[in-house]
Amino acid sequence: MISVLKSGLMTTIQDLGRYGYQKDGVIVSGAMDHQAHRIANLLVGNSDEAATMEITLMGPVLEFQQDAFIAICGGNLTPMIDGDSVSTWKPLYIKKGSELRFGQPKKGFRCYLSISGGFQVEKVMGSSSTYLRANMGGFDGRILEKGDQLRFGVPGSQPQYSNEQLKPADKATSFKEASWFVGPEFTNYTKNDQPIRVMQGREFDLFTEQSKEHFFKDAFKIDSKSDRMGYRLNGAALSLKNKKDIISEAVTFGTIQVPPDGNPILLLADHQTTGGYPKIGQVASVDLPRIAQMRPGEKINFTPITHEEAQRLLLEKENHFKQLQRGIATKFR
């Protein structure tokens, strides 16, 4: 069990999302950064679907009531165990009675805490993900608060063996890290120093030539009013050639809509199921983890990519993920 001593800015329980119900108006939700979520679970022997703790910018303070095998992936929010800095992107063994807290954020916006056995919360429509606007899923449908008690499941055979490998020999030591870590080819994306790759949206050709040029050449600033539903982007106002009524249709994570004020909205994990604003672009799936690590106040630049190239990059990324999965498995044999 884990006790929450301090809540942090916005800490929730998430998994890969609530699929199969968008036709009924129920959003997908789920982890903002699927890559960090999946790798965190991989490092402790969980399946992709296991629930993790999504920690945003200012982390919580957690006390472990029993020994645990954990990993922290995603943005570097300066995790510390009993005052000592710990590494991200690698397995950690943490002893009963130890305290995990977070310091000054160094890079990125969100990190994911996985625990062997997964966080045990009631599933709603097959998912553990928290949807705050509907008070659905996760831990009582809300952010974690001081005094909450989180349970986790029984680890599988691989993590149990891993626990023995990582168990600190010194009784005075609160934790032990693995000697290896996930390589930079999986972790460097939190830098956000490259343009976000975007495919043309369904209504791209309805926009003026000037607007299309601004969209791909100018930077847009993430507004402070942004949330898990979407990033509001401030920059050059985008406009249609002619006013046109758009029939509401399905939208997804990464869809970029343009409302009448001309300031784009980049839809995120808690996006609505349908939208009626013209869609100028769609972020390539391979770049969604980079979007998830961007903070309000940062600037985004977009660059065009074809649908075929976006598919190729995503398949390539999944192949690399499978190689990582095999590599991690060899570490615990």
Side-chain angles (χ1 to χ4, degrees):
M1 184 180 291
I2 297 175
S3 298
V4 179
L5 304 184
K6 185 178 178 181
S7 61
L9 178 64
M10 188 172 76
T11 308
T12 60
I13 300 298
Q14 302 289 347
D15 58 18
L16 289 178
R18 190 168 284 107
Y19 288 92
Y21 300 96
Q22 290 188 83
K23 65 183 184 300
D24 302 310
V26 179
I27 72 164
V28 174
S29 196
M32 282 278 287
D33 183 346
H34 278 198
Q35 180 166 314
H37 166 89
R38 292 175 70 192
I39 294 177
N41 271 323
L42 190 61
L43 288 171
V44 297
N46 293 341
S47 69
D48 282 3
E49 293 79 18
T52 61
M53 185 182 293
E54 182 179 270
I55 297 165
T56 306
L57 196 61
M58 296 173 59
V61 178
L62 308 171
E63 184 179 72
F64 287 73
Q65 304 300 327
Q66 61 193 90
D67 293 358
F69 184 50
I70 68 171
I72 304 168
C73 295
N76 184 353
L77 307 185
T78 319
M80 297 172 283
I81 296 176
D82 288 345
D84 293 324
S85 296
V86 294
S87 302
T88 55
W89 301 101
K90 60 166 56 178
L92 301 165
Y93 183 91
I94 183 167
K95 291 172 69 174
K96 176 182 177 180
S98 300
E99 182 184 278
L100 171 65
R101 64 171 61 231
F102 297 82
Q104 186 70 28
K106 290 184 177 178
K107 185 172 65 174
F109 193 40
R110 296 174 173 89
C111 73
Y112 293 79
L113 170 66
S114 64
I115 190 161
S116 186
F119 290 100
Q120 299 299 291
V121 294
E122 185 178 353
K123 290 191 175 185
V124 178
M125 298 180 179
S127 171
S128 301
S129 285
T130 309
Y131 177 34
L132 296 173
R133 290 174 185 261
N135 298 118
M136 177 190 294
F139 192 94
D140 293 340
R142 59 172 172 79
I143 61 174
L144 298 183
E145 298 175 354
K146 180 180 179 180
D148 289 341
Q149 302 281 323
L150 293 166
R151 298 182 181 278
F152 49 94
V154 178
S157 57
Q158 177 179 305
Q160 286 175 344
Y161 178 57
S162 305
N163 284 351
E164 294 303 317
Q165 286 183 315
L166 290 173
K167 217 167 199 176
D170 184 356
K171 291 183 179 180
T173 304
S174 301
F175 68 96
K176 185 177 179 182
E177 301 180 354
S179 59
W180 52 273
F181 53 88
V182 176
E185 64 272 25
F186 292 98
T187 64
N188 275 352
Y189 70 96
T190 56
K191 286 170 136 184
N192 287 319
D193 56 353
Q194 296 295 320
I196 298 297
R197 291 164 285 194
V198 174
M199 297 167 282
Q200 292 183 8
R202 186 177 176 89
E203 287 79 40
F204 182 81
D205 289 333
L206 299 182
F207 287 85
T208 64
E209 291 304 315
Q210 186 179 37
S211 293
K212 289 188 277 190
E213 185 175 343
H214 282 311
F215 181 67
F216 284 121
K217 287 189 176 181
D218 295 353
F220 292 86
K221 187 177 180 181
I222 302 174
D223 193 273
S224 60
K225 295 184 177 68
S226 301
D227 56 19
R228 278 179 48 95
M229 186 174 180
Y231 285 160
R232 294 181 177 274
L233 306 179
N234 298 321
L238 309 179
S239 58
L240 300 175
K241 297 173 186 175
N242 300 293
K243 288 186 178 180
K244 183 177 177 66
D245 291 329
I246 306 296
I247 297 174
S248 292
E249 57 186 9
V251 291
T252 189
F253 195 163
T255 299
I256 304 173
Q257 294 186 301
V258 181
D261 66 5
N263 292 313
I265 299 174
L266 198 171
L267 301 183
L268 302 175
D270 284 354
H271 64 85
Q272 70 274 24
T273 57
T274 62
Y277 295 138
K279 298 172 287 297
I280 194 170
Q282 174 67 44
V283 175
S285 296
V286 71
D287 278 349
L288 292 178
R290 294 177 54 210
I291 288 290
Q293 292 298 339
M294 301 189 81
R295 308 178 187 181
E298 288 190 36
K299 291 184 177 180
I300 300 180
N301 287 89
F302 298 116
T303 191
I305 188 174
T306 64
H307 185 259
E308 292 74 20
E309 180 67 3
Q311 284 184 316
R312 185 190 69 77
L313 289 171
L314 184 61
L315 289 171
E316 186 178 280
K317 182 178 178 180
E318 285 301 309
N319 285 332
H320 289 161
F321 185 83
K322 289 177 182 177
Q323 292 174 9
L324 175 66
Q325 194 171 26
R326 290 192 291 269
I328 290 174
T330 65
K331 295 294 183 181
F332 297 125
R333 286 176 184 168

